[in-house]
């Protein structure tokens, strides 16, 4: 099979990598993947790419609720009454 | 689980405690999403705080047509885009012009073997993942993270970013291929 034929599959692999390949519309692709180790490897690598990014998560060190609410309090108009100047 | 609608209504009328509960409920989600886009913990923390402050100020415009989380995602992406434009130059890669299938002639060597699983992503691999995704223009990165990492539907991503469904798909495919090609070097070396 020529590379150009694979290109067609590669594009389809990319489009369907997040889908369930057992659906009837994926029949051709499924068949090709079972016969072509190169496209199967490509499919596998694309799938792993997504999984790796999904697995890479970060936890917050601590809650930011206090800081955020403090920021919001700054939005409130200041209501400080200044002492009146004494007139002599 | 507290009912978002009630908390949002209360927060809209100025109840900061209610808003605080919303922050508590969604801050990890927002932080994690921010990190996945900017790939920097300090920036993610800044974006997190900005996002909730913007959310509070703009709460009246939240109609309830989308999920509250989706609405927050939209604020995060706006903040990330703004921060990005302010601080840095656009990445050099133009995905519209690059041939994404470049390198597929070597398909036969592209067997990745076993990749490490979840909790055990090591430091080196994390750096590789960060570096690869940082090369991706932000508009592509956001689509990839929303759709493939966070699992939003194509329609939701489109709505959030004001993009048509075909535009989301096209960006998504390009992002996937780009990242896969970047990681390929690491896994086949
Ligand atoms: Zn093939």
């Amino acid at each position: 099979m020529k590379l150009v034929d694979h290109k067609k599959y590669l594009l389809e692999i990319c489009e369907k990598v997040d889908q369930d390949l057992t659906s009837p519309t994926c029949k051709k692709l499924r068949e090709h993947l079972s016969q072509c180790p190169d496209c199967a490897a490509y499919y596998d690598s694309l799938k792993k790419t997504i999984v790796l990014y999904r697995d890479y998560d970060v936890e917050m060190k601590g809650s930011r609720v206090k800081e955020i609410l403090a920021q919001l309090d700054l939005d409130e108009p200041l209501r400080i009454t200044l002492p009146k100047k004494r007139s002599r | 689980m507290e009912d978002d609608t009630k908390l949002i209504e209360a927060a809209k009328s100025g109840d900061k405690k209610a808003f605080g509960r919303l922050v508590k409920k969604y801050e990890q989600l927002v932080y994690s999403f921010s990190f996945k886009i900017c790939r920097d913990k300090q920036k993610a923390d800044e974006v997190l705080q900005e996002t909730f402050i913007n959310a509070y100020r703009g709460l009246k415009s939240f109609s309830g047509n989308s999920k509250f989380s989706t609405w927050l995602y939209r604020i995060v992406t706006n903040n990330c885009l703004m921060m990005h434009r302010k601080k840095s130059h656009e990445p050099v890669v133009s995905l519209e012009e690059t041939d994404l299938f470049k390198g597929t002639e070597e398909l036969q060597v592209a067997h990745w073997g076993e990749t490490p699983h979840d909790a055990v992503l090591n430091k080196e691999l994390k750096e590789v993942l960060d570096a690869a995704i940082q090369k991706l223009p932000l508009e592509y990165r956001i689509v990839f993270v929303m759709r493939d990492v966070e699992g939003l539907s194509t329609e939701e991503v489109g709505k959030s970013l004001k993009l048509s469904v075909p535009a989301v798909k096209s960006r998504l495919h390009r992002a996937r291929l780009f990242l896969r090609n970047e990681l390929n070097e690491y896994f086949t070396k």
Side-chain angles (χ1 to χ4, degrees), chain B residues 154 158 163-173:
Chain B
T154 312
L163 285 173
S164 67
V165 166
V168 171
K169 284 187 177 166
S170 144
R171 284 188 188 185
L172 179 68
H173 297 157

Side-chain angles (χ1 to χ4, degrees), chain A residues 1 6 9 32 36 38-39:
Chain A
M1 188 176 282
H6 291 271
Y9 285 112
H32 181 74
C36 175
D38 289 344
C39 282

Side-chain angles (χ1 to χ4, degrees), chain A residues 3 7 10-11 14-15 17-18 37-38 41-42 45-46 48-50 52-60 63-65 67-69 71-73 75-76, chain B residues 16 19 27-28 31-32 35-36 39 45 48-49 53 56-57 101 107-108 111-113 115 118 121 126 129-130 132-133 147-149 173 176-177 180 187:
Chain A
L3 179 70
K7 268 202 178 181
L10 294 178
L11 207 64
C14 178
E15 279 172 23
V17 68
D18 58 345
D38 289 344
Y42 198 81
S45 65
L46 209 47
K48 279 175 177 160
T49 299
I50 295 172
L52 284 168
Y53 279 103
R54 234 176 244 173
D55 285 346
Y56 183 171
D57 208 348
V58 287
E59 284 281 326
M60 288 185 74
S63 171
R64 285 278 176 259
V65 175
E67 285 90 339
I68 291 163
L69 292 184
Q71 275 287 322
L72 294 179
D73 284 336
D75 283 4
E76 300 288 295
Chain B
K16 289 211 180 97
F19 187 70
E27 60 181 346
Q28 173 57 46
Y31 177 75
S32 167
F35 175 81
K36 285 168 191 167
R39 313 310 289 192
D45 193 49
L48 160 80
Q49 301 197 38
I53 289 163
Y56 184 75
R57 291 178 184 156
F101 287 107
L107 260 183
Q108 62 278 9
H111 293 262
W112 284 18
T115 48
D118 37 80
L121 292 186
K126 279 183 175 176
L129 291 171
D130 285 339
I133 201 168
R147 180 72 190 85
D148 278 347
V149 181
H173 297 157
R176 281 175 180 167
L177 291 173
R180 184 260 162 214
F187 283 110

Side-chain angles (χ1 to χ4, degrees), chain B residues 93-100 136-137 140 171 174-175 178:
Chain B
V93 246
S94 161
L95 285 193
E96 301 303 331
E97 286 150 34
T98 41
D99 178 8
L100 290 160
L136 201 56
Y140 292 81
R171 284 188 188 185
R174 284 175 175 272
F178 179 85

Side-chain angles (χ1 to χ4, degrees), chain B residues 65-81:
Chain B
N65 284 336
S66 64
K67 279 191 274 183
F68 190 59
S69 56
T70 313
W71 188 68
L72 290 174
Y73 279 145
R74 196 180 312 156
I75 305 177
V76 172
T77 55
N78 284 340
N79 282 335
C80 288
L81 284 165

